[in-house]
Amino acid sequence: MRKILVLLSMSVVWCAVSAQNTFVLSGKITDEKNKELPGAAIVVSPGEKGVVSDARGNYRIDGITEGKYQVRVSFIGYREFTDSVQVSSNTTFNCKLKFVPLNLQEVVVTDNYAETRKKEETLNVEVVNDDFLRQNAGGSLMKSLERLPGVSTIDIGSGHSKPVIRGLGFNRVVVVENGVKHEGQQWGADHGLEIDQYSVDNVEVIKGPASLMFGSDAVGGVIDIKQYHLPAEHSINGMVNLVGKTNNNLLGTSVEVAGRKDWFFARLQATVLDYGDYKVPADSVDIYSYRVPLYKNHLRNTAGYERNWHLSFGIVKPRFQSRFFASNISSKSGFFANAHGLEPRNVDTELHDKSKRDILYPFQQVDHFKLVNKSWWKMGKATFNADLGFQRNFRQEKSNYTSHGYMPPVFPDTMSFAADLEREFDKYVYSGTLKASLEQNTQTTYTAGVSSEYQENRIDGRGFIIPAFQQFTLGGFLVAKHSFSEKSLLQFGLRFDYGTIKTEAYYDWFSSPTENGNAYLQRAQDLDRSFSNVSWSAGYSYSPEHWLLKVNVGKSFRMPIAKELAANGVNYHHFSYEVGNPDLSAEVSYQLDGGVEYHSQKLTVGITPFLNYFPNYIYLNPTSEHDRLYGNGNQVYIYQQSEVFRLGGELHAHYQLLKSLQIGVIGEYVYSEQLSGEKKGFTLPFSPPASAIINLKYRKEKFLFFQHAYTSVDYRLTAAQNNIVPPEETTDAYQTVNLGMGGEVKIRQQNLKLSLQVQNLFNTRYFSHTSYYRLINLPESGRNFILNVSIPFSGEIK
Amino acid sequence: MKTQNKILLLLMLAVTAFACSETDDKDDQKPVISMSGTEVFPNNCDTLYFGEAFTFRIHFSDNQELGSFSIAMHNNFDHHSHSTEVTECVFGPVKTAVNAFTFIEDYPIPEGDKEYEVNMSVEIPSGEGTTPFDEGDYHFFISLTDKAGWSTQKGLSIKILHR
């Protein structure tokens, strides 16, 4: 179905060209029973011209010059049909597609889809499907996407990571799932993104300022996740996924079942993952001068589990669709026991080393519930979209009570929270986007919309970092797309946003010795701020045969978050006393993006450079001060703003050495510099070092008893990161090798998809500059064999 | 192709501009807390006494300019905290605090100093009112910053006893 959506929008781009000596190829697509098939994709090559059939199954491709063409007709749930057609006048080509009850995963997002998305977006986009995710599966969705140029991650342990796009992460990257912005605790480095990677079938990564469509926070880019797999009519199908990993002894399974009558479909999926402590290629790690011996190379207490379920159902009609997505992602995972953050801890090794799979203190527990409705309907030339969502993110961090600073040595039994509850965040999010697109004529499309979000955040626990707060945003936007020809597209958009944030006063639950005797310190004030911003974007994309050229300039923004405005507490995980700045302005970013890609039968080469300027980047500045009373003797970190300049880009190239052998190179680089403020001359925190992947991939349609067999080798080179800012450490360069292989096996009537990966083949000991554990010298995972088996099944519903 | 050339030109300009401005002398080194030398006190596993003053002696240095420092003492009766030092100390048995001693103070370092010798007397009271402080395992924490915001921490395991 996503194909249809995309191709529908694509058909807007491909407008009529009334040149002379060209002809029209038209016809009707039906099924075997002569039922009209709207939304089938028709692609003509050479030239790769494509359209989708309309509501009556009719299609029309203009501007075809005389010659012989391959026509490829595809539609989800039907066998693809290919034939050659001689065009020497206006030609009619009708086609009947044969129904096949297919498996969910057989719906392949072709390269064509990715290509099309790239052409219709003036920003740089990466598109991947579930095959990519399976073949490159890491410990979490983001870890799997890290292979994409310009994408990196901030990690904690083996199962959690956060997205970073071109060096920007946390609240500067928006994650969207089924049209609704994912809201967790994006600001924290010690927890991950609550997305089940086994439920994802398509991900688009937009690199660059995307506030225009996504509002506040989309400064660095967007990770747009879609679950659009739809079973064919009158079919039931599903998949059993089994996964195993040797490094952290992960065992997991994800089972999905989906069925569809005529216009009603439903889908259910459950995922269970269980993993033990992960192994590193080291006998000991150095936390400051203190050497922690590791038991059998295991990082103590990094085990965890995930329990997820998803339910979706809805109505699918040619001109109307409404889908509901309900899901709950639940995880529990331990923190490395010998340090809680940066603080070295004494460990009862006997207790911890007894089992590699138990989760002891300190640990975190996260529950993310989400309910989304995504609907669209078409009326004449207009399309209306509504994306509505409710989310609850509930996160707890638990550890043995430790009296820090002036906290009482013994936890009083009169408190409303338990002694082991270090922090609790409870967030309720209501969001909605309404959008209308008008296809003015074949060349011009207008899209207008409003989006709004309301957040209610509560806190609990003995440690205070951010106050409770409520946040409201409302934005309206208008985007115009105009195609001068099928090759050239101009896009312009304007957006206005308004937002408020109210933080609640907070007092310590224990008293501290002030100059006027003992008192309960007030950490946060009642604060009420509002922000407004105009963002815009203009881009041009030109795609003559073999080439794709893009330029885009845009302004994006981000409202300061509660932590930046009102933090006032000690982060014992970092030995820092973090202080918010209530006077911060909304962060603004201007970015110029370019993209040049050449592609021919054998060769693809592309570069995507960018220049970026922030007049007022918000960052947590470590000062030279210490604070006794509020900071318990810790170093003072204050949120400040500075001018920042960044530049960088990605490079990708693929060359078909032989029919079945491809060599590829992917590289990325980001340079950042603060141009003003106390850290003038320094870079930004968590700057990813330059890196490259050299890849060899061998594909064969049939190899022994495998079909669609592949083998691939990734040689990953990462440069040293010596450009750092306090409190970071420089990180050495490293090289790792990853292997991947797989294919499909048919046992009787049953298909099996197998993929095997070997990550860090040579068990190299290295540090990742963007790991949360970098500051205490924890190396990354050692060698890891990952086996994924997918067993699709299907049947018919009468 | 024009677009491409423009981009390339812009990129090259930017790269050149940055290559030329690489001459800044930003501080890239952490300050140093020197624990070596016989003058340093306390050392890991040393003992202090309630109701007495001890002389805190340590040497700080930085490549450009020191910032400030703080010291903190808190109980480690539950053995939660590990020192940042190589040596392991012998802990007393785990126990529950009744009236544990807490000390936190921050201190400035004169502006412009690259080296700073701490030699100051710190008084440890013997109790709060008439209740004596709990004796046993304590943690002695030193934090040092430089002007640029780099920091270094030292955590020592000590004992504070009643004489």
Side-chain angles (χ1 to χ4, degrees):
Chain A
M1 197 40 72
R2 64 206 139 153
K3 242 186 191 169
I4 296 173
L5 285 176
V6 163
L7 289 170
L8 272 175
S9 46
M10 184 175 83
S11 62
V12 174
V13 179
W14 261 301
C15 56
V17 188
S18 53
Q20 282 176 342
N21 294 325
T22 62
F23 305 104
V24 177
L25 178 70
S26 59
K28 196 178 193 74
I29 314 295
T30 56
D31 69 3
E32 295 158 290
K33 294 167 190 157
N34 287 323
K35 201 180 130 206
E36 294 153 350
L37 289 180
I42 301 100
V43 179
V44 176
S45 53
E48 295 295 324
K49 288 186 180 186
V51 291
V52 286
S53 56
D54 66 12
R56 308 200 137 175
N58 293 320
Y59 74 95
R60 180 189 160 96
I61 304 175
D62 301 275
I64 306 245
T65 50
E66 187 170 342
K68 196 170 180 181
Y69 292 91
Q70 282 277 328
V71 181
R72 198 167 76 239
V73 184
S74 55
F75 188 55
I76 295 168
Y78 292 84
R79 179 157 296 145
E80 189 177 285
F81 183 87
T82 310
D83 202 354
S84 56
V85 179
Q86 180 69 40
V87 176
S88 50
S89 61
N90 288 345
T91 308
T92 304
F93 176 80
N94 296 329
C95 165
K96 277 193 203 322
L97 291 184
K98 191 172 153 39
F99 172 76
V100 272
L102 83 178
N103 311 304
L104 287 178
Q105 310 296 335
E106 277 174 20
V107 182
V108 179
V109 180
T110 60
D111 290 344
N112 205 21
Y113 171 84
E115 286 309 311
T116 311
R117 274 299 286 134
K118 283 184 177 182
K119 277 181 195 163
E120 66 181 22
E121 184 65 59
T122 57
L123 275 168
N124 290 306
V125 192
E126 302 286 341
V127 185
V128 299
N129 61 9
D130 47 359
D131 276 331
F132 174 94
L133 292 176
R134 195 176 313 108
Q135 290 175 15
N136 296 284
S140 61
L141 174 68
M142 285 320 305
K143 211 63 200 160
S144 311
L145 293 179
E146 200 181 15
R147 197 177 182 283
L148 296 174
V151 179
S152 51
T153 60
I154 291 170
D155 308 320
I156 170 105
S158 64
H160 297 279
S161 40
K162 280 191 190 296
V164 175
I165 298 178
R166 290 170 159 175
L168 297 180
F170 302 105
N171 285 69
R172 293 184 183 89
V173 168
V174 166
V175 174
V176 176
E177 193 180 20
N178 295 320
V180 169
K181 185 180 170 195
H182 182 85
E183 292 279 7
Q185 302 291 342
Q186 291 100 312
W187 52 269
D190 51 357
H191 37 96
L193 187 63
E194 303 86 354
I195 301 274
D196 178 359
Q197 68 167 327
Y198 296 93
S199 76
V200 173
D201 53 54
N202 177 262
V203 183
E204 277 179 36
V205 179
I206 300 173
K207 295 181 278 188
S211 275
L212 178 62
M213 295 305 282
F214 298 95
S216 174
D217 297 8
V219 171
V222 178
I223 310 275
D224 193 357
I225 298 164
K226 295 162 185 174
Q227 281 135 11
Y228 287 170
H229 277 337
L230 261 191
E233 284 178 43
H234 301 282
S235 77
I236 181 162
N237 54 38
M239 172 93 94
V240 177
N241 273 294
L242 302 169
V243 60
K245 301 184 188 183
T246 56
N247 183 282
N248 58 358
N249 292 304
L250 178 141
L251 281 174
T253 180
S254 184
V255 178
E256 56 178 314
V257 183
R260 178 170 166 193
K261 270 292 255 195
D262 297 312
W263 46 263
F264 181 80
F265 81 96
R267 179 175 169 273
L268 189 64
Q269 180 171 16
T271 304
V272 177
L273 298 173
D274 232 295
Y275 52 93
D277 298 344
Y278 75 96
K279 276 182 287 201
V280 294
D283 298 328
S284 62
V285 293
D286 292 328
I287 304 174
Y288 303 93
S289 332
Y290 162 53
R291 178 156 294 183
V292 179
L294 299 180
Y295 178 69
K296 291 185 176 170
N297 305 90
H298 285 93
L299 282 183
R300 273 180 202 100
N301 203 44
T302 54
Y305 66 73
E306 245 184 77
R307 308 270 181 268
N308 313 324
W309 60 259
H310 311 262
L311 170 70
S312 61
F313 57 90
I315 298 167
V316 184
K317 296 248 184 187
R319 293 189 156 264
F320 175 72
Q321 275 194 17
S322 186
R323 304 184 182 200
F324 288 87
F325 300 90
S327 64
N328 194 70
I329 311 293
S330 174
S331 75
K332 179 178 173 182
S333 57
F335 290 113
F336 178 48
N338 290 86
H340 194 20
L342 306 188
E343 184 198 19
R345 307 281 289 206
N346 268 316
V347 161
D348 182 345
T349 44
E350 203 177 316
L351 174 74
H352 272 97
D353 299 341
K354 207 164 56 190
S355 164
K356 289 172 287 196
R357 299 195 83 88
D358 55 357
I359 308 166
L360 302 164
Y361 290 125
F363 67 83
Q364 59 176 327
Q365 227 168 343
V366 187
D367 255 283
H368 195 106
F369 173 78
K370 199 183 270 185
L371 180 64
V372 170
N373 175 264
K374 189 169 178 61
S375 302
W376 64 255
W377 60 101
K378 239 177 121 62
M379 278 169 59
K381 288 180 167 177
T383 309
F384 300 93
N385 288 275
D387 300 331
L388 305 170
F390 166 74
Q391 296 171 72
R392 184 193 181 204
N393 185 284
F394 182 68
R395 175 169 185 271
Q396 288 185 316
E397 218 172 279
K398 291 185 176 178
S399 60
N400 281 318
Y401 176 71
T402 301
S403 137
H404 282 298
Y406 297 114
M407 288 181 198
V410 179
F411 187 77
D413 52 13
T414 52
M415 301 306 301
S416 60
F417 51 88
D420 67 348
L421 185 63
E422 192 168 344
R423 293 170 185 175
E424 181 182 294
F425 305 100
D426 194 4
K427 173 178 252 187
Y428 294 80
V429 186
Y430 308 84
S431 44
T433 301
L434 300 174
K435 226 162 53 178
S437 298
L438 180 70
E439 210 179 299
Q440 177 77 10
N441 50 47
T442 48
Q443 286 174 307
T444 313
T445 311
Y446 298 104
T447 304
V450 286
S451 67
S452 185
E453 186 192 85
Y454 176 74
Q455 283 187 24
E456 164 81 43
N457 287 265
R458 299 166 198 169
I459 57 161
D460 206 353
R462 59 178 200 260
F464 174 82
I465 281 281
I466 59 168
F469 66 97
Q470 294 92 42
Q471 184 175 311
F472 170 76
T473 55
L474 177 66
F477 60 92
L478 181 70
V479 183
K481 278 189 183 189
H482 180 82
S483 33
F484 296 100
S485 73
E486 64 182 80
K487 292 172 186 149
S488 97
L489 171 76
L490 184 70
Q491 184 177 323
F492 176 77
L494 198 63
R495 180 182 176 117
F496 177 76
D497 281 280
Y498 172 78
T500 61
I501 182 163
K502 286 181 190 161
T503 65
E504 288 175 18
Y506 178 90
Y507 291 86
D508 277 345
W509 54 272
F510 56 90
S511 68
S512 301
T514 69
E515 274 157 24
N516 311 314
N518 275 14
Y520 293 89
L521 298 179
Q522 180 169 11
R523 296 268 170 192
Q525 316 279 330
D526 278 313
L527 182 72
D528 190 350
R529 289 284 317 267
S530 63
F531 302 89
S532 63
N533 180 71
V534 174
S535 35
W536 48 264
S537 170
Y540 179 69
S541 147
Y542 181 58
S543 50
E545 210 183 352
H546 298 312
W547 289 90
L548 177 58
L549 307 172
K550 286 178 175 189
V551 62
N552 193 90
V553 58
K555 178 194 172 199
S556 276
F557 90 109
R558 182 175 74 85
M559 258 171 58
I561 58 173
K563 181 162 189 273
E564 292 164 340
L565 293 168
N568 189 338
V570 179
N571 188 346
Y572 285 99
H573 306 184
H574 282 248
F575 296 132
S576 59
Y577 164 50
E578 300 177 359
V579 186
N581 179 349
D583 302 321
L584 294 175
S585 58
E587 188 178 88
V588 168
S589 159
Y590 298 91
Q591 186 159 320
L592 174 66
D593 275 279
V596 182
E597 191 180 86
Y598 171 84
H599 47 90
S600 68
Q601 205 81 35
K602 283 192 156 182
L603 176 72
T604 304
V605 193
I607 58 162
T608 49
F610 72 92
L611 291 174
N612 175 215
Y613 171 72
F614 285 89
N616 57 354
Y617 186 94
I618 301 170
Y619 70 106
L620 186 56
N621 179 36
T623 69
S624 63
E625 306 293 313
H626 285 86
D627 185 85
R628 175 191 76 88
L629 185 58
Y630 285 86
N632 301 156
N634 286 284
Q635 186 185 1
V636 182
Y637 284 51
I638 299 179
Y639 279 100
Q640 285 170 348
Q641 294 186 290
S642 71
E643 270 180 284
V644 168
F645 179 81
R646 308 188 320 122
L647 67 84
E650 302 82 36
L651 169 122
H652 66 273
H654 301 282
Y655 183 71
Q656 205 71 36
L657 280 172
L658 300 166
K659 191 167 158 254
S660 47
L661 186 65
Q662 189 187 56
I663 184 165
V665 181
I666 300 170
E668 58 191 54
Y669 173 75
V670 181
Y671 176 86
S672 313
E673 185 172 331
Q674 304 194 33
L675 302 179
S676 66
E678 280 191 39
K679 292 289 177 285
K680 187 177 171 191
F682 283 96
T683 185
L684 296 176
F686 286 112
S687 287
S691 67
I693 299 175
I694 299 168
N695 168 267
L696 263 179
K697 188 160 188 174
Y698 181 78
R699 265 186 262 241
K700 207 146 190 216
E701 267 316 294
K702 224 172 146 42
F703 177 75
L704 299 176
F705 45 88
F706 284 102
Q707 288 184 320
H708 308 298
Y710 71 92
T711 307
S712 98
V713 185
D714 269 3
Y715 178 43
R716 299 180 179 216
L717 301 112
T718 306
Q721 186 52 285
N722 294 318
N723 195 10
I724 55 167
V725 58
E728 295 183 345
E729 301 269 353
T730 59
T731 304
D732 290 338
Y734 60 90
Q735 296 159 28
T736 55
V737 173
N738 287 6
L739 292 183
M741 61 205 74
E744 286 172 35
V745 185
K746 198 159 197 166
I747 301 172
R748 304 233 174 120
Q749 285 307 304
Q750 185 60 57
N751 253 340
L752 290 184
K753 278 192 178 191
L754 297 170
S755 71
L756 176 71
Q757 276 187 84
V758 191
Q759 293 178 342
N760 195 1
L761 178 68
F762 298 114
N763 209 22
T764 309
R765 184 170 187 262
Y766 69 96
F767 298 101
S768 162
H769 188 69
T770 55
S771 167
Y772 174 75
Y773 282 142
R774 170 66 193 106
L775 290 178
I776 47 166
N777 287 319
L778 294 203
E780 295 298 300
S781 283
R783 187 184 300 118
N784 194 5
F785 289 86
I786 301 172
L787 179 67
N788 203 314
V789 181
S790 306
I791 310 159
F793 56 87
S794 63
E796 276 188 64
I797 307 179
K798 288 292 164 204
Chain B
M1 290 306 281
K2 270 191 178 159
T3 326
Q4 183 193 5
N5 286 340
K6 272 182 200 162
I7 293 165
L8 282 174
L9 187 70
L10 258 172
L11 262 182
M12 273 156 62
L13 275 174
V15 170
T16 321
F18 274 86
C20 297
S21 68
E22 265 321 319
T23 49
D24 56 41
D25 51 352
K26 65 173 190 232
D27 185 357
D28 58 358
Q29 282 175 42
K30 290 182 172 190
V32 177
I33 300 175
S34 173
M35 291 298 295
S36 55
T38 49
E39 287 299 295
V40 172
F41 188 82
N43 276 293
N44 202 29
C45 314
D46 275 350
T47 302
L48 305 177
Y49 294 96
F50 287 113
E52 293 180 12
F54 72 95
T55 309
F56 177 47
R57 282 191 302 260
I58 205 155
H59 182 81
F60 296 145
S61 61
D62 186 57
N63 61 324
Q64 287 197 352
E65 184 179 350
L66 288 162
S68 65
F69 72 100
S70 75
I71 51 178
M73 283 178 261
H74 61 260
N75 84 80
N76 193 19
F77 299 160
D78 59 356
H79 301 174
H80 71 271
S81 232
H82 194 285
S83 76
T84 59
E85 301 308 288
V86 186
T87 46
E88 298 271 358
C89 311
V90 181
F91 287 125
V94 171
K95 63 175 184 179
T96 307
V98 180
N99 187 28
F101 172 63
T102 302
F103 177 94
I104 303 171
E105 203 53 70
D106 60 283
Y107 306 91
I109 293 175
E111 249 174 68
D113 276 16
K114 284 189 184 183
E115 304 271 332
Y116 189 66
E117 207 72 53
V118 185
N119 194 335
M120 68 181 187
S121 181
V122 180
E123 176 84 32
I124 305 180
S126 60
E128 206 171 12
T130 53
T131 328
F133 284 125
D134 300 346
E135 60 177 14
D137 292 306
Y138 278 81
H139 206 228
F140 190 99
F141 196 80
I142 308 158
S143 171
L144 170 70
T145 57
D146 68 8
K147 208 74 197 165
W150 294 106
S151 65
T152 303
Q153 291 84 23
K154 286 277 180 202
L156 307 177
S157 292
I158 56 164
K159 282 189 199 301
I160 310 182
L161 305 175
H162 287 283
R163 183 98 67 176

